[in-house]
Amino acid sequence: MTHWLIAPIVLPALTATVILLFLRGRRLRLARYVSLGASAAWVALGATLVARASTGAIETYALGNWPAPFGIVLVLDRLSAVMVLLAAVLGLAVSLYAAASDLDRKGWHFHSLFHLQIVGLNGAFLTGDLFNLFVFFEMLLIASYGLMLHGQGPARLKAGVQYVVVNLAGSTLFLVAVGILYGVTGTLNMADMAMKVAAAPAGDEALIHAGGLLLITVFALKAALFPLHLWLPRTYAGTSAPVAALFVIMTKVGAYAIVRVTTLVFGASAGEAAWAPAAWLLPAALVTLVLGFVGVLSARSLRDLAAFGVVGSMGTLLAAVSVFQPEAITAALYYTLHATLAGAALFLTADLVGRRRGDHGDALTPGPRFPQVEVLSVLYFLAAIAVVGLPPLSGFLGKLFILDAVRPSAHGAWIWGFILGTTVVSLVGFARAGSTLFWESAEGPHASHCKVPVHPELTLGITAALLVGLGGLTVMAGPVTAYLGAASAQLFDTKAYLGAVLGAR
Amino acid sequence: MILVLLVLLPFLGAVATALVSRGGRDACAVTAGVATAVALGLLGALAPGVVAGEVVQASVGWVPALGLQASFFVDALGLTLAGLILGVGLLVVVYARYYLAAADPPGRFYAFLLLFQGAMLGVALSSNVLLLLVFWELTSLSSFLLIGYWRHLPEARRGARMALTVTGAGGLSLLAGLLLLGHSAGTYELPVLLQRREAIQGSPLYLPALLLILGGCFTKSAQFPFHFWLPQAMAAPTPVSAYLHSATMVKAGIFLLARLWPVLAGTEAWFLIVTTTGLVTMLVGAVSALFEDDLKGLLARSTISQLGLLTMLFGLGTRMGAVVGVFHLVNHALFKAALFMNAGIVDHEAGTRDVKGLGGLGSLMPVAATVAVVASAAMAGVPPLNGFLSKEMMLEEAAHTRLLGQAWLVPVVVTVGATLSVAYALRYVVRVYFGARRGEALASGQGAGAHHDSCAPPEASRGPEAGRGGGAAAPHDPPLGMGAPSVLLGALALVVGLFPETLAGPLVRAASAAVIGGAPPGFTLALWHGFTPALGMSVVALVGGAGVLAVHGGAEKVWRRLGVPDPAGWFEAGLGAAVKGSRKLTLAIHDGSLQRGLALLVGTAVMVGFVGFGGAKHTAGERPPMPVEMLTVLAWVLLVTATGAAVVMHRRRYLPLLFMGVVSMIMALAFIFLSAPDLALTQVSVDVVTILLLLLALNLLPQQSPPETTRRRRVRDAVLALLGGVGMGSAAWAVMTRERKTLADYYWTHAKPEGGGTNVVNVILVDFRGFDTFGEIVVLGTAALAIFALLETANRGEAGRRLAQWKPGRPLSPERYPLILIAVTRLLLPFAIVTALFMFLRGHDHPGGGFVAGLVVAIAVLMQYLASGFDWADRRVRPDHHALIGWGVLVAALTGLGALVFGRPFLTSAFWHPRLPFVGEIALSTAMVFDAGVTLAVVGAVMLALAQLASASKRAKQWAEKRERGEHGGAP
C-alpha cells in the first residue's frame, strides 16, 4: 500500500499546523524557510504523482480503509495529477514572491493560510467523493478569504464581503444539489453515482437532471462563468497581486469540477441527463469571453486588466469544454495550464509595476519614469502576449488547439468567431495599457518618491521564471499535449475509472 | 539542419545584441551585422542548388497532436524573399548605425530589428503553415516594437498600436483561414498541401478559407480598405520603414498570395476579389501619394499603390502574371528601400521631410540626388531601369485581361495607375532636388543636435527626425556608411535593368516556377520587346505623368477642398468610442453590488433547476406521508411565522437573531421528532454559539440599516425568493417521498462490528467519513485564523477610523456585570465541563461526540466572558487559542497517520475493549483520539473568534470613552 495520494493533503495541513503552532509571530524568518521548503516539496510531490499517473493506471486510496462507495476515496488519474502539479508550481512561485516582497509581513498567518489553500486545492483535485469535494471547496473558500484580506485596506474588505457572501450562498447551493442527488441515487461517491445515474429509472430523471444542473451551477460560480462571474473582478483586483496570482487557479478548480463531474456522472451513459450541462455552458462561456475581454479594454489598472483577463480566459476555456469531445478537452486542459501561469505572471507584473510607481500604483495613467522600466516592460510584453494568446508563447498554441478541436462541433463557427474576435479586442486593450504605462512613462526624469522595493532581483526573477515556464510549455508542447490527450481519453473512458474505484462489481 | 540554424541566427543575434548594448552603436551594429551576414552567407551557400530546382528541407517535431511541426524548406520563392530579408537587412543595419542619434538606445533598436528579421525569415522559409502563422504574428509584434521605438512620440505610439491592431487582426483571420485550408487539404505541410489543389478547391470550405486568408494577406500588405495603417507607421525610424515597409513585411502578404497561388488561384472568386482589390489599392495609393507632402508618407502611399499592383498581378491567376509578380516584387524592394533611405538622408541633412519645405538639394547633395533620380525613375518605370521591365510586362498582362466582362477596364485602370506613379515619382525628385532652395529658415532655425537628447519633435517640422544629424551647416552628402547602402540599391536597380536576363533571369524563372508549381511560360527579360500595346501604355504613362505634375498645384487645391476621407482617423475615433462603450458596459454590469451577485446566483439556480426538472420525466415518490398531527402543524406555523418575521424585521439589529433562534429551535425539535438526537444536539449547540458570536459582531455595526432597496428590487427579490422556496420545498418533498436504497444500510450493519460504536452518526463522523470531519475542523480552524487576521489589524487604516467613531448602541446597564449572572455562570462552569466530558465519552455509542463536547465547553467559557467581562475571563483562560486549534488539527492528523504505521490507509481506526480492574470492560478506540482533536479544534476556533470580536469591541469602547473624556476635559 502506498500513501502518495494522501500526502498532498495531509502534508500541507501538517505544515500549516506546525507553522501555526511553533513559528508564529516573531519567527517569521524560520516560518518562511519552512514554508518555502514545503512549497518546493509540493512541486516534487506533484511531479511524482504525474509520473505515477502517466503509466495510465488509476490509483485509488480508501480513507479509513472503508471500501467505496461507503467510505471516502481519493482517486489519482492523469488529470488530477497534473492539476496537483500545476497548483504546486503556481504555489511555489507565489509563496516565494510573497516572501521576497515582504507581503507575508503585512498581516497574520500568511504561510499557514497559504498551505491550507494548497490543502483545499489538492483535495478538490484528488477526491472521488462529492461531499468531500464540498468540504474542500469550503476549505478553499475560507483559506482564500483569509488570504484575500491579507494586508487589509477598505477596498479589500468591501470586495471580501461580496466574495465570501456570494460564495457561501454557492456552498449552500452545493449542499442542495448534493442533497437532491443523494436523495435520488443514494450515494455520494462519484463513481457510484455515475453507475446509479446510468441505471436510474425513468421517473428519477427529472430530479437527476435538476440536481446535476444545480451542481454545475455551483462549479460555474467558482469558475466565474457569466452571469455568476460578478464577484471575480473586484476580488482579484482588490486583493494583493500575489494572492490574486494564486487565485488564478481557483477558477480552474471550478472548471476542473465541471469537467470531472460531467464526463463521469453526466456523460454518455447518463441517459436523459447525458451532457445536459453542455447546452448551458456554451452560451454562458461565450458571453463570459466577451465580457472578460471587453473588461480588459476598459481596465483602469493593471490588476483590473489581469482580473478581466482571467474572466476572458475562463470563457475561452469553458467554450472548449462545452463541446465535451476528447480533443476539445485536451485543448482546454492545455489552455488551463497556460492560462493559470500566464494570469499569475500578469498579476505579479502588476505588483512589480505598482510598487515602483508611488502614488500612481498600477493605474493605467501616464506617470513619471520608474525604476527598472525596461525590464518591466519586457515582462509585461511577454505576459501580455501570453494572455492575449499570440505567438511565440503557449497561449497561441492553446488557442490554436482549441480552434482546431472545436471545428467539427455544431457550434464550432460560433466559438471561432468569438475567440478570434475577442483576441483582437484584448490585443487592443493590452497594447493601449502597455503603451500608456511603459512608453509614455519611460522618458523623462525619475520621480523622487519612486523607489525600488525590497529584493528587486528576486521578485523580478520569480515573475520571469513563470514566463520562462510558459516558454517551456510552448517548447514542450508535444509531450505535454500527448500527456493531456491521454488524460482526456482517460476521462472519457469511464469504465476504467469505475473499475478502479468500485472494483470489478 | 543548416536551415534551422539559418532561421535561428537572427534570434540569437537579437539576444547577443541586447547583451552588448552597453557597448554603444558600433558594438550593436557590428553584432547585428555579423549575425545577418552569416545568415546571408548560409543562404548564399544554398542558393545555387535552389535556383537549379533543388528544395532544401529540414524538420523538427513539435506538436504532433496539432499537426504543427518546426519544418522549413527553401525553394526559389522562399530564397527570393529570404535573400531580400537578409540582403536589405544587412544594408539597413549599416545605414541605421549612422542614422541613429547618440541618445537613441542602439541595443533596443538592433535587437528588435533582428527579432523582426528572424520572424520574417521564418515566414519565408516555413514549410508548415501553422509555423508560418507563428512567425507571421511575430512580425506583427516586432514591427509594433519597431514602430514604437521613439516611445515618447504620441504618433509613434498610435502608429504602432494601429499597425499591431490591423495586422494582428489580419493574422487571426489568417489563422482561421489556414486551419480551414489545412483541414480541407489534410495536411499543414506546404510541399504536400500545394499538391492538393483539387481537394482544396472542391471543398465547401474553399470560399471561407480564401476570404479569411485574404484577410490576413490584405491587412499585412496594406491593401484597400486596410491600407491606412501604413502611412501611420511612418512614425518609425527611417531604417525601419526602409526595411519593413518597403522590402519585407508588407511583402509578406504578397508572398503568401504567391505561396498559396497553386491551390487558391484560378477560381472566379480569387480573380474577382484579388484583382479588384489590387486595382483599387493601386489607384487609392497613387492618388493619395500625389498629394502627400511628407516624404516618407509619400513613399508609404506609393508603396501601397505598388503593393496593389503586385496583388493585381497575382490575382490574374495567369502563369505570366505570377512571373511578373515575382520579378516586380524584387524590383520594388530594391528601388523602394533605396528611396526610403534617401528620404531619411534628406531629413537628416535638411532637417525636414516636408516636400513644401525642400528644394534645390541636388547641387548640395549630388550623390543622394543621383540615387534619388535612379530609384524614382525605376519606380516610374523609365527605361533602362528594372522598374521599367517589370512594369511593362505588367502592362502587357493587363492589356489582355477582362474584368467584369469589360476588356477596357483593366488596361485603362493600370495605365492611370502607371501615370500617377510617374507623377509622384517625378514629384519626389523634382521638388526635393531641383528648383530653388526652400526652407532655409526651417533648417537653420534648429541648433545642431539640439533635439538629440530629448528626441522631441521640432515644432516647425513634421518629422520626428528633423534636425537629428543635420544642423546649421548647409545640407551635404551623408557619411559613407549612410550613403553607401542606398547607392548600392540604386546601382542594382540600374544593372538589373541593363542586364536583366543575366542577373535576374534564372532567379525569376526558378521563383515563378515555384509559385506556379510547374514550368513557367517562356519569356525573356529584355528592355525591347518591339512595338507592343504595353509600350504605348508606357509612353502614355510617362507623358501623362509629367503632365499631371504640371497641373499638380491646381489639382491639390481641389483635392484639399474635397475633404478626403481619413480612414486612419475613423479607425482611431472608432477605437476611442469602443473603449468608452466598453467602459460603460463593464461598469454597468460589474457595479460591485452584492445584491446583484446574489440575485443572479439565485436566479440562475432557479432557472436551471426548473428547466432541468421540467425537461425530463418525473414520477412522484411512493412512500406514504406521515400523518399530520396538531403539534407538527403548530411547529410549522411557528417556523413560517418566525421566518417571515425575520424577513420583515431584517433592518432591526437584534430582533431577527431572535427569530432565527426560534427557527433553529424548531429545527432541533424536528430532528428529535425524526429520531435524530445527534443532529438536534449539534443544532442547538451550534445555534447558541452562533447567536452569541453574532451578538458580539452586531454590537459593532450601525444601529439601523437604512432602507436602501427600491420597490422594484424588493419585488424582484420577492419573486426570486418565492420561486426558490417553492423549488427547494418541492425538491425536498420529491426526495423525501421516495424509497431509495442508500448507503445507510451498510452503515447500520458495519458500525458496531467494524467501527466499534453503536452510535452510527458518530461512527460516520469519526470513522466512515472521518476524512470529511478532518477537513471540516481544518475549515473551522482556518475560519478562526481568518477572523483573527481580519480583526487583529482592524484598528488600522479605514476600518480603524470607522471603529473609532463607534458609539455603544444603547445605554449600558449601570450594573455592567450582574452579580447573579456571575455567580450562576461560575457555578455552571464545572458542570458544563463535566457534561462535555460525558458527551465526549459516550459519543461513540450514544448521542454526543467530540464536536458537541467542544461546543459545550466553548459555550461555558463564553458565558464567563459575558458575565464577568472580557478582562477577568481572559486572564484566566490559560491555553492560547491558536495553540488549541493547532493541537486539535495535529492530534487528528497524527491519529490518522498512526494507521500508516500498521500499513493501513490514513484514518483507519482500531478499537479495543480492555477489561480494567474495578471498572470493567471499557471501549477504547483511535477514533476517540481523533474526536479529541476535533474537540480541541472546536474549542480553539470558537474561543479565538470570540476573543477577537470581544477585543475589537473593547478597543472601540475604550476609544469611545477616551473621546468622551477628551470632550469633557476640553469643554471648560
Side-chain angles (χ1 to χ4, degrees):
Chain A
M1 158 129 274
T2 60
H3 300 284
W4 286 108
L5 271 69
I6 192 69
I9 298 169
V10 168
L11 294 185
L14 283 177
T15 308
T17 315
V18 167
I19 292 175
L20 175 71
L21 275 176
F22 307 114
L23 303 171
R24 200 151 23 103
R26 285 165 194 274
R27 296 190 200 143
L28 183 64
R29 268 179 83 85
L30 194 56
R32 272 183 186 173
Y33 291 129
V34 171
S35 175
L36 297 182
S39 292
W42 309 154
V43 176
L45 196 55
T48 311
L49 291 190
V50 167
R52 292 183 76 89
S54 62
T55 61
I58 296 179
E59 289 185 48
T60 62
Y61 189 85
L63 286 149
N65 215 12
W66 295 106
F70 308 108
I72 296 166
V73 280
L74 301 179
V75 186
L76 179 78
D77 63 357
R78 288 193 181 93
L79 175 60
S80 47
V82 77
M83 293 308 286
V84 168
L85 179 61
L86 178 66
V89 169
L90 181 69
L92 178 62
V94 167
S95 59
L96 270 172
Y97 189 97
S101 66
D102 268 357
L103 174 73
D104 55 355
R105 258 183 220 288
K106 297 272 155 60
W108 284 88
H109 298 318
F110 182 87
H111 292 288
S112 288
L113 289 171
F114 170 80
H115 288 286
L116 291 169
Q117 175 91 352
I118 297 286
V119 177
L121 288 168
N122 289 346
F125 294 138
L126 286 170
T127 189
D129 186 282
L130 217 46
F131 187 80
N132 197 233
L133 182 64
F134 167 79
V135 171
F136 284 113
F137 267 39
E138 288 305 281
M139 203 178 302
L140 273 179
L141 173 60
I142 300 300
S144 65
Y145 182 55
L147 285 173
M148 198 235 144
L149 295 175
H150 187 84
Q152 299 279 343
R156 208 161 285 183
L157 283 173
K158 208 171 158 192
V161 169
Q162 179 159 11
Y163 172 66
V164 79
V165 171
V166 169
N167 277 287
L168 281 175
S171 301
T172 314
L173 192 60
F174 197 149
L175 285 182
V176 170
V178 170
I180 293 175
L181 288 173
Y182 178 78
V184 184
T185 62
T187 187
L188 291 169
N189 180 287
M190 292 198 255
D192 195 33
M193 192 177 282
M195 309 258 292
K196 297 275 158 55
V197 166
D204 283 353
E205 272 165 2
L207 278 174
I208 290 174
H209 208 148
L213 285 179
L214 286 176
L215 196 59
I216 299 297
T217 306
V218 179
F219 300 153
L221 174 73
K222 300 283 170 186
L225 196 63
F226 172 85
L228 308 175
H229 71 290
L230 295 183
W231 58 271
L232 189 140
R234 268 166 207 260
T235 307
Y236 282 33
T239 185
S240 63
V243 169
L246 180 64
F247 282 12
V248 173
I249 200 171
M250 300 250 294
T251 45
K252 276 59 178 185
V253 180
Y256 164 84
I258 290 177
V259 170
R260 170 71 75 199
V261 170
T262 309
T263 52
L264 182 60
V265 183
F266 302 104
S269 64
E272 188 77 14
W275 309 116
W280 296 87
L281 278 180
L282 179 63
L286 293 183
V287 178
T288 312
L289 185 55
V290 171
L291 286 180
F293 287 127
V294 162
V296 162
L297 191 58
S298 61
R300 289 161 188 274
S301 72
L302 263 187
R303 280 181 299 167
D304 253 6
L305 194 77
F308 279 107
V310 170
V311 176
S313 75
M314 289 315 291
T316 312
L317 170 57
L318 288 168
V321 166
S322 72
V323 172
F324 285 114
Q325 289 296 322
E327 296 78 25
I329 298 283
T330 309
L333 294 180
Y334 183 79
Y335 191 78
T336 302
L337 301 187
H338 155 79
T340 307
L341 299 181
L346 190 58
F347 272 115
L348 293 188
T349 308
D351 192 59
L352 290 169
V353 171
R355 281 164 183 266
R356 283 164 177 74
R357 296 217 320 156
D359 296 337
H360 286 275
D362 65 343
L364 296 178
T365 49
R369 186 184 166 86
F370 50 95
Q372 297 171 316
V373 62
E374 310 289 345
V375 189
L376 282 170
S377 60
V378 172
L379 289 182
Y380 171 79
F381 188 65
L382 292 176
I385 284 178
V387 174
V388 174
L390 289 179
L393 293 177
S394 41
F396 180 72
L397 291 183
K399 280 197 178 169
L400 204 58
F401 222 140
I402 289 178
L403 295 180
D404 190 46
V406 302
R407 191 186 41 76
S409 125
H411 308 288
W414 283 99
I415 303 179
W416 275 41
F418 273 83
I419 288 184
L420 292 173
T422 51
T423 303
V424 177
V425 174
S426 64
L427 177 68
V428 175
F430 276 93
R432 287 177 66 93
S435 65
T436 303
L437 209 52
F438 294 100
W439 284 355
E440 263 186 79
S441 306
E443 306 293 328
H446 281 276
S448 51
H449 59 279
C450 297
K451 56 178 195 293
V452 178
V454 289
H455 299 127
E457 283 80 20
L458 198 52
T459 46
L460 284 169
I462 295 162
T463 313
L466 277 178
L467 293 167
V468 170
L470 289 179
L473 204 55
T474 315
V475 174
M476 303 302 293
V480 172
T481 49
Y483 177 92
L484 296 175
S488 166
Q490 217 170 27
L491 284 175
F492 284 84
D493 177 21
T494 51
K495 272 209 187 76
Y497 186 100
L498 300 183
V501 174
L502 301 173
R505 291 190 311 140
Chain B
M1 282 304 108
I2 280 190
L3 213 45
V4 179
L5 180 67
L6 179 62
V7 177
L8 279 181
L9 254 171
F11 293 110
L12 297 177
V15 175
T17 312
L19 290 178
V20 303
S21 63
R22 304 220 163 183
R25 277 181 290 186
D26 288 322
C28 290
V30 167
T31 314
V34 167
T36 312
V38 172
L40 191 60
L42 285 179
L43 189 72
L46 297 174
V50 172
V51 173
E54 188 188 323
V55 175
V56 185
Q57 286 180 306
S59 180
V60 183
W62 190 6
V63 198
L66 202 52
L68 171 59
Q69 300 207 55
S71 53
F72 301 94
F73 81 127
V74 193
D75 64 354
L77 180 63
L79 177 76
T80 309
L81 188 64
L84 283 179
I85 294 162
L86 293 172
V88 178
L90 191 58
L91 295 179
V92 165
V93 166
V94 176
Y95 176 79
R97 156 65 190 84
Y98 297 93
Y99 176 87
L100 289 180
D104 295 329
R108 193 144 55 85
F109 181 85
Y110 279 110
F112 291 169
L113 200 72
L114 286 183
L115 217 56
F116 169 78
Q117 190 179 76
M120 200 60 215
L121 211 52
V123 170
L125 302 182
S126 287
S127 155
N128 185 294
V129 289
L130 297 180
L131 184 70
L132 187 148
L133 206 60
V134 168
F135 288 115
W136 182 281
E137 290 290 50
L138 275 181
T139 62
S140 297
L141 286 169
S142 48
S143 85
F144 170 74
L145 295 174
L146 282 168
I147 298 170
Y149 176 70
W150 282 320
R151 50 200 186 187
H152 57 280
L153 297 178
E155 64 263 31
R157 295 195 295 268
R158 201 170 49 232
R161 282 202 308 259
M162 194 180 290
L164 178 67
T165 309
V166 175
T167 59
L172 294 169
S173 160
L174 182 64
L175 185 163
L178 290 179
L179 276 176
L180 293 182
L181 185 73
H183 174 69
S184 46
T187 175
Y188 292 119
E189 290 295 323
L190 273 171
V192 187
L193 186 146
L194 292 178
Q195 312 291 326
R196 304 259 166 97
R197 180 189 161 99
E198 285 75 29
I200 289 169
Q201 299 202 347
S203 155
L205 292 175
Y206 170 73
L207 194 62
L210 175 67
L211 291 175
L212 290 165
I213 290 172
L214 290 181
C217 294
F218 288 173
T219 47
K220 202 77 165 179
S221 287
Q223 297 297 296
F224 181 85
F226 310 112
H227 61 290
F228 55 88
W229 67 268
L230 190 57
Q232 303 294 318
M234 291 301 117
T238 302
V240 173
S241 307
Y243 195 28
L244 272 66
H245 305 136
S246 68
T248 54
M249 190 174 88
V250 291
K251 296 284 167 61
I254 307 291
F255 168 77
L256 197 60
L257 289 182
R259 185 85 276 177
L260 298 176
W261 193 88
V263 288
L264 292 182
T267 62
E268 192 63 20
W270 166 277
F271 173 68
L272 269 179
I273 299 170
V274 182
T275 308
T276 316
T277 307
L279 285 173
V280 172
T281 308
M282 185 174 161
L283 283 183
V284 167
V287 172
S288 63
L290 206 53
F291 301 108
E292 174 66 56
D293 286 338
D294 176 30
L295 281 188
K296 282 179 73 181
L298 188 156
L299 292 178
R301 290 170 197 276
S302 81
T303 304
I304 293 174
S305 172
Q306 300 273 341
L307 291 169
L309 191 156
L310 286 168
T311 304
M312 185 271 288
L313 281 171
F314 286 107
L316 295 178
T318 61
R319 294 190 300 162
M320 198 56 204
V323 173
V324 186
V326 170
F327 189 29
H328 193 66
L329 185 126
V330 178
N331 289 337
H332 175 251
L334 295 180
F335 65 69
K336 191 51 69 66
L339 280 171
F340 265 114
M341 290 183 184
N342 189 261
I345 290 170
V346 168
D347 190 11
H348 209 265
E349 296 299 324
T352 180
R353 293 192 327 225
D354 191 344
V355 175
K356 295 250 158 65
L358 290 164
L361 291 179
S363 54
L364 299 170
M365 309 165 61
V367 178
T370 313
V371 171
V373 169
V374 170
S376 301
M379 179 158 77
V382 178
L385 294 151
N386 63 352
F388 169 74
L389 293 170
S390 46
K391 193 166 270 186
E392 184 146 275
M393 290 165 85
M394 177 275 288
L395 293 172
E396 184 66 37
E397 272 306 289
H400 36 78
T401 301
R402 297 170 68 92
L403 182 64
L404 306 171
Q406 308 296 321
W408 57 271
L409 188 59
V410 177
V412 167
V413 171
V414 295
T415 310
V416 171
T419 308
L420 291 172
S421 74
V422 171
Y424 62 65
L426 264 178
R427 182 163 173 250
Y428 181 89
V429 179
V430 172
R431 291 289 148 84
V432 174
Y433 290 101
F434 297 95
R437 282 206 67 194
R438 275 178 292 180
E440 306 279 318
L442 281 177
S444 59
Q446 297 151 13
H451 298 285
H452 276 207
D453 291 343
S454 67
C455 297
E459 302 269 313
S461 73
R462 301 189 41 149
E465 309 152 57
R468 297 177 60 77
H476 52 79
D477 268 321
L480 180 67
M482 196 168 179
S486 57
V487 171
L488 191 62
L489 288 167
L492 273 174
L494 182 64
V495 294
V496 169
L498 290 175
F499 312 103
E501 198 49 56
T502 331
L503 289 172
L507 184 65
V508 172
R509 253 185 211 96
S512 42
V515 172
I516 296 162
F523 63 89
T524 41
L525 303 177
L527 284 168
W528 181 251
H529 286 286
F531 293 99
T532 54
L535 186 68
M537 288 152 86
S538 265
V539 173
V540 169
L542 284 172
V543 176
V548 169
L549 192 63
V551 299
H552 183 264
E556 191 171 16
K557 278 188 197 118
V558 178
W559 176 259
R560 299 267 181 262
R561 215 171 301 143
L562 278 176
V564 195
D566 168 26
W570 295 346
F571 183 82
E572 273 295 302
L575 214 56
V579 171
K580 238 183 224 150
S582 72
R583 199 158 275 176
K584 233 181 194 167
L585 178 74
T586 303
L587 284 180
I589 293 176
H590 309 90
D591 66 347
S593 153
L594 171 62
Q595 286 78 2
R596 176 180 292 185
L598 285 173
L600 281 171
L601 176 61
V602 176
T604 308
V606 164
M607 186 167 71
V608 301
F610 276 107
V611 173
F613 187 85
K617 197 165 177 302
H618 174 71
T619 33
E622 284 138 17
R623 176 188 274 185
M626 292 163 76
V628 181
E629 289 167 26
M630 210 47 220
L631 199 65
T632 44
V633 173
L634 194 69
W636 182 78
V637 170
L638 211 57
L639 185 72
V640 171
T641 316
T643 312
V647 171
V648 172
M649 313 224 174
H650 72 277
R651 279 195 279 113
R652 305 280 287 276
R653 216 174 345 153
Y654 298 104
L655 228 45
L657 271 190
L658 207 69
F659 292 120
M660 278 159 64
V662 173
V663 171
S664 168
M665 284 307 137
I666 295 171
M667 294 295 296
L669 287 174
F671 285 141
I672 293 171
F673 182 70
L674 296 169
S675 326
D678 274 284
L679 295 191
L681 211 56
T682 312
Q683 174 78 31
V684 170
S685 42
V686 165
D687 193 52
V688 171
V689 171
T690 314
I691 291 204
L692 283 175
L693 288 179
L694 271 176
L695 278 175
L696 279 170
L698 285 177
N699 191 28
L700 291 172
L701 294 184
Q703 293 294 312
Q704 286 269 332
S705 325
E708 284 168 335
T709 48
T710 57
R711 202 185 145 71
R712 251 176 71 187
R713 202 156 87 183
R714 283 202 294 274
V715 171
R716 175 198 76 183
D717 292 349
V719 170
L720 279 178
L722 211 65
L723 286 172
V726 167
M728 274 301 309
S730 335
W733 175 269
V735 166
M736 285 192 286
T737 48
R738 49 193 57 216
E739 298 277 8
R740 192 64 67 221
K741 197 169 161 290
T742 63
L743 305 175
D745 303 334
Y746 179 89
Y747 294 145
W748 278 116
T749 48
H750 290 73
K752 181 66 185 165
E754 286 173 51
T758 52
N759 178 1
V760 180
V761 174
N762 186 269
V763 178
I764 290 177
L765 284 178
V766 298
D767 203 336
F768 290 121
R769 299 189 67 92
F771 192 55
D772 278 341
T773 310
F774 176 69
E776 287 296 358
I777 61 170
V778 174
V779 171
L780 198 60
T782 312
L785 293 190
I787 292 172
F788 175 80
L790 171 66
L791 291 179
E792 182 66 17
T793 46
N795 51 349
R796 281 193 229 149
E798 176 68 15
R801 269 194 293 284
R802 292 269 292 276
L803 206 53
Q805 300 294 318
W806 180 82
K807 287 195 187 91
R810 44 192 72 195
L812 295 169
S813 152
E815 195 182 8
R816 284 184 88 164
Y817 305 115
L819 204 58
I820 297 180
L821 190 60
I822 293 177
V824 170
T825 51
R826 287 184 196 173
L827 205 62
L828 267 177
L829 184 64
F831 288 106
I833 289 177
V834 170
T835 310
L837 200 62
F838 174 67
M839 287 282 181
F840 177 81
L841 287 176
R842 76 198 292 261
H844 217 44
D845 290 322
H846 306 283
F851 188 73
V852 175
L855 287 175
V856 171
V857 172
I859 291 168
V861 182
L862 264 176
M863 299 297 279
Q864 307 304 315
Y865 278 84
L866 282 185
S868 310
F870 181 84
D871 296 319
W872 184 90
D874 208 41
R875 274 197 302 278
R876 284 161 182 79
V877 176
R878 282 285 157 69
D880 175 62
H881 311 132
H882 284 102
L884 278 180
I885 299 173
W887 283 114
V889 174
L890 204 58
V891 164
L894 290 178
T895 313
L897 287 173
L900 268 56
V901 179
F902 300 96
R904 295 268 187 277
F906 185 65
L907 285 177
T908 306
S909 66
F911 55 91
W912 309 271
H913 292 274
R915 293 192 70 84
L916 294 185
F918 308 111
V919 181
E921 187 182 292
I922 59 159
L924 282 180
S925 74
T926 55
M928 224 166 196
V929 187
F930 178 80
D931 222 9
V934 174
T935 311
L936 284 177
V938 168
V939 173
V942 174
M943 297 306 297
L944 187 59
L946 161 84
Q948 282 309 310
L949 280 171
S951 74
S953 66
K954 191 168 71 96
R955 279 198 303 259
K957 224 172 280 175
Q958 280 166 354
W959 281 327
E961 280 166 11
K962 207 182 285 171
R963 203 172 48 238
E964 228 153 85
R965 270 203 304 280
E967 276 165 15
H968 286 308

